[in-house]
Amino acid sequence: MTNITPRTWVLMGFGISLLSVVINIFVLSGINDRIKTTDGELSKLTTSLSTQATELNRAEIKNDLFTVLNHVSKLATGDQKIAASVDSIYLLQGYLKRNYGAVNDIPTNEMLKADNEEWATSLAYHAKIQEAKKEKEAGNTDTAAKLEQEAEVIAASAAQPKSELGKKLWELESYADPEKLADKSTADVWNAMIPYIKTSNEQFIANYQKKEARIKELQDRKASLSWWASIFTYLAVSLQLFGLMFVLTKDLVKDTKERREKAEKQANKAEEAKLA
């Protein structure tokens, strides 16, 4: 190895250090990017599971309120009994919609948009009815009749939601129809909902387990990527040190060569002095 020139040692050290840089820039950077992507998906999934559980609990609160109000409605009489019973069914509708949103992991803003579409139609319908009432009171029967016809058109359009989510929510409301369920006992109302709730629960469990399996898969992937990142980090640092050693060896080789040449010169001079 002493026959290798100092310049060669420097070039070898530079080449090894360059390899270390390549590992840092391309290999480690790529692994770290994949770790970040994995972390991002993990965060989304864990947040989604937490949100689903929270929304499901909120749905259960509406179901509890339905149960209480429906029981209380049976103690009332006359119009109060009818109003309380109908209101309890509306609470049941709210439970079904919130449960659907939780099970299918639908963002809250999407649920609100669908509700707003329904409320906008309802507001337009009641506005027409109020106008028709005023015109009728003013004696404008033809105008009132026309407004009532327009209100009927709006009411008909309300039964045909524009968005797919709106159609599904409207379908859920039809399961809990106040006209069909208001007079029934709490147990009878709940029994009517059991087939849908059973299917919904099965869907929620399948969805939840699928996400848990994906989280486990991502955790294993992250652990593997982190292991490789550690290995390549160690390799890069080792190569950097190895390259530095080659550069330092240049100085050692140069110093050794100079001392050897100096020793040879001194030996030659001593030999010449003896011969003289």
Side-chain angles (χ1 to χ4, degrees), residues 18-29:
L18 182 61
L19 179 59
S20 170
V21 172
V22 170
I23 291 175
N24 271 314
I25 293 177
F26 295 103
V27 180
L28 279 174
S29 177

Side-chain angles (χ1 to χ4, degrees), residues 88-133:
S88 72
I89 302 302
Y90 284 134
L91 282 172
L92 180 62
Q93 289 181 352
Y95 159 71
L96 293 176
K97 291 194 288 186
R98 189 172 284 276
N99 177 271
Y100 178 80
V103 169
N104 294 277
D105 200 13
I106 299 174
T108 303
N109 65 313
E110 294 298 325
M111 297 291 290
L112 290 176
K113 285 180 183 178
D115 283 338
N116 279 345
E117 288 179 3
E118 180 181 344
W119 292 340
T121 304
S122 178
L123 287 172
Y125 170 79
H126 287 292
K128 287 291 181 183
I129 292 298
Q130 290 299 320
E131 288 181 41
K133 184 178 179 181

Side-chain angles (χ1 to χ4, degrees), residues 49 207-217 219:
L49 286 180
N207 191 334
Y208 205 91
Q209 290 177 338
K210 182 179 179 180
K211 288 183 179 180
E212 285 186 322
R214 180 58 177 166
I215 287 174
K216 180 64 170 60
E217 180 184 337
Q219 288 173 336

Side-chain angles (χ1 to χ4, degrees), residues 8 26 43 51 60 66 99 108 115 149-152 161 163 172 228 236 240:
T8 303
F26 295 103
S43 178
T51 301
E60 291 300 326
F66 149 73
N99 177 271
T108 303
D115 283 338
Q149 289 178 352
E150 292 176 358
E152 290 176 1
S163 66
L172 291 175
W228 280 109
Q240 284 180 341

Side-chain angles (χ1 to χ4, degrees), residues 151-165:
E152 290 176 1
V153 172
I154 294 173
S157 68
Q160 299 175 348
K162 298 177 182 179
S163 66
E164 290 300 318
L165 178 57

